[in-house]
C-alpha cells in the first residue's frame, strides 16, 4: 500500500490566518493506492484533493471520518464528476455541519457504514471503529497487504476500538494535535505516541499538529518512549 500525506494540518492549516509558519500544512487529506484500489481518507482541502487525484489518476472511493469541515471541505472537488462512493457513519451524514452535502450530494453517492462491520471494496478490507471526539467520529482499519489504522480526530480511543487494534496494526496515522499537557478533544502528541505503543504499531505517523507543536519535540518524545515516529510533511508518500 502506498500512502500520500497531502494535508497533514489541523483545522486552521499552517499557517493560520494572520500567523506565519516555516512550512504549509493543509487540512486533513490522505490518499492511498493498493493494487487496483485508489482512495482517499478525508478530503479537508480542495487543493490537496486536486493534487491527490492527479497523483492517483483516478479515485475509486472516499472515506470520511466525521462532520468537521477540515475533514470534508474538499468533497466539493468530487461533487461534479463521475459517481463517487463516499462512506461514513450515519452521524456524519446527519450532522448539521454536513447539511449542504447531504442536501445536494450531486455525484457523491453517500454510503452509510457501521462501527465494527467490515466491508470490502476493490480488494481493500475496511473496518470502521469509534473515536473519542467532540462530535461522533469514526476511524478506519484498512487491510490491504499491510494493516493501517487511521485515527483522527480523537482523544485516545474507546475501549472496544482499542481492543480491535491492539496487536493487529502495522501502521497508525493518528491525531497528535495538542502540546503536552493540554486538555481537549484531541490527543496531545504524547498521548498519540503512547497510543501507538499500546496498539503495537511498527510506525506511528503523527499528524494534525497545531502550529504550536514543534516537530522536534514529537520526534524526541518518540525516542524517549521507544516508538518509531514519523511527522510527515504535505506531499510526502510512504510505502507501507
Ligand atoms: Zn480535524
Ligand atoms: Zn474534528
Amino acid at each position: 500500500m502506498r500512502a500520500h500525506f497531502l494535508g497533514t494540518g489541523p483545522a486552521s492549516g499552517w499557517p493560520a490566518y494572520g500567523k506565519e509558519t516555516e512550512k504549509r500544512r493543509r487540512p486533513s487529506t490522505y490518499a492511498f493506492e493498493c493494487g487496483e484500489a485508489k482512495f482517499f481518507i478525508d478530503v479537508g482541502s480542495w487543493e490537496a484533493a486536486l493534487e491527490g487525484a492527479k497523483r492517483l489518476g483516478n479515485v475509486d472511493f472516499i472515506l470520511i471520518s466525521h462532520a468537521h469541515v477540515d475533514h470534508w471541505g474538499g468533497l466539493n472537488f468530487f461533487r461534479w464528476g463521475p459517481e463517487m462512493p463516499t462512506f461514513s457513519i450515519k452521524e456524519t451524514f446527519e450532522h448539521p455541519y454536513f447539511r449542504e452535502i447531504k442536501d445536494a450530494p450531486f455525484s457523491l453517492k453517500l454510503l452509510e457504514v457501521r462501527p465494527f462491520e467490515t466491508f470490502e471494496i476493490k480488494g481493500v478490507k475496511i473496518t470502521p471503529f469509534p473515536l473519542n471526539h467532540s462530535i461522533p467520529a469514526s476511524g478506519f482499519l484498512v487491510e490491504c497487504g499491510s494493516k493501517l489504522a487511521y485515527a483522527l480526530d480523537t482523544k485516545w480511543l474507546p475501549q472496544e476500538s482499542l481492543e480491535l487494534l491492539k496487536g493487529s496494526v502495522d501502521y497508525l496515522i493518528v491525531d497528535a494535535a495538542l502540546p503536552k499537557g493540554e486538555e481537549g478533544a484531541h490527543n496531545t502528541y504524547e498521548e498519540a505516541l503512547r497510543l501507538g505503543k499500546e496498539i503495537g504499531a511498527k510506525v506511528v505517523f503523527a499528524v494534525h499538529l497545531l502550529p504550536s507543536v514543534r516537530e522536534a519535540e514529537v520526534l524526541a518524545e518518540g525516542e524517549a518512549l521507544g516508538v518509531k515516529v514519523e511527522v510527515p510533511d504535505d506531499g510526502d508518500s510512504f510505502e507501507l
Side-chain angles (χ1 to χ4, degrees):
M1 174 161 33
R2 187 148 201 96
H4 302 272
F5 293 79
L6 300 162
T8 60
S12 65
W14 286 30
Y17 178 66
K19 302 269 176 57
E20 289 199 18
T21 46
E22 70 279 10
K23 64 176 70 162
R24 237 186 120 200
R25 293 185 184 278
R26 299 173 290 203
S28 300
T29 308
Y30 302 87
F32 302 86
E33 297 175 84
C34 184
E36 293 291 290
K38 299 178 182 207
F39 59 100
F40 279 82
I41 305 184
D42 287 339
V43 277
S45 155
W46 177 91
E47 182 193 285
L50 171 64
E51 195 181 309
K54 277 188 182 160
R55 279 197 201 187
L56 267 47
N58 66 290
V59 182
D60 298 306
F61 61 94
I62 299 171
L63 308 173
I64 298 291
S65 62
H66 66 296
H68 282 149
V69 70
D70 62 309
H71 294 258
W72 62 263
L75 275 181
N76 265 335
F77 177 61
F78 298 99
R79 212 153 50 132
W80 288 272
E83 185 175 89
M84 182 61 67
T86 304
F87 297 90
S88 193
I89 49 173
K90 185 175 177 213
E91 290 87 345
T92 297
F93 296 145
E94 290 184 351
H95 202 284
Y97 296 161
F98 203 74
R99 184 70 187 265
E100 186 180 346
I101 299 285
K102 176 76 192 297
D103 284 355
F106 304 138
S107 46
L108 304 175
K109 189 176 179 194
L110 304 182
L111 298 165
E112 235 175 79
V113 297
R114 295 160 76 97
F116 305 113
E117 288 189 6
T118 302
F119 62 101
E120 193 166 330
I121 178 164
K122 285 231 149 195
V124 185
K125 268 171 77 177
I126 298 161
T127 309
F129 58 89
L131 302 173
N132 282 331
H133 194 40
S134 51
I135 61 171
S138 177
F140 299 100
L141 173 61
V142 176
E143 299 175 65
C144 187
S146 56
K147 292 183 181 182
L148 162 80
Y150 179 93
L152 53 145
D153 294 346
T154 195
K155 178 83 164 176
W156 201 249
L157 283 179
Q159 192 57 30
E160 264 189 293
S161 299
L162 194 61
E163 277 157 25
L164 171 76
L165 302 185
K166 239 179 179 175
S168 59
V169 167
D170 301 307
Y171 303 98
L172 175 68
I173 300 178
V174 64
D175 178 351
L178 302 177
K180 227 174 180 175
E182 200 163 298
E183 287 302 316
H186 297 270
N187 286 320
T188 65
Y189 67 83
E190 185 197 17
E191 285 167 330
L193 299 183
R194 285 190 188 283
L195 185 58
K197 189 170 184 171
E198 177 97 6
I199 287 166
K202 285 193 279 197
V203 183
V204 175
F205 294 93
V207 298
H208 209 285
L209 273 54
L210 293 186
S212 56
V213 174
R214 305 266 51 91
E215 294 159 42
E217 294 177 277
V218 182
L219 296 172
E221 189 73 32
E223 199 138 306
L225 291 169
V227 175
K228 183 162 169 35
V229 58
E230 295 278 358
V231 184
D233 289 334
D234 282 17
D236 284 353
S237 65
F238 291 81
E239 197 61 45
L240 307 182

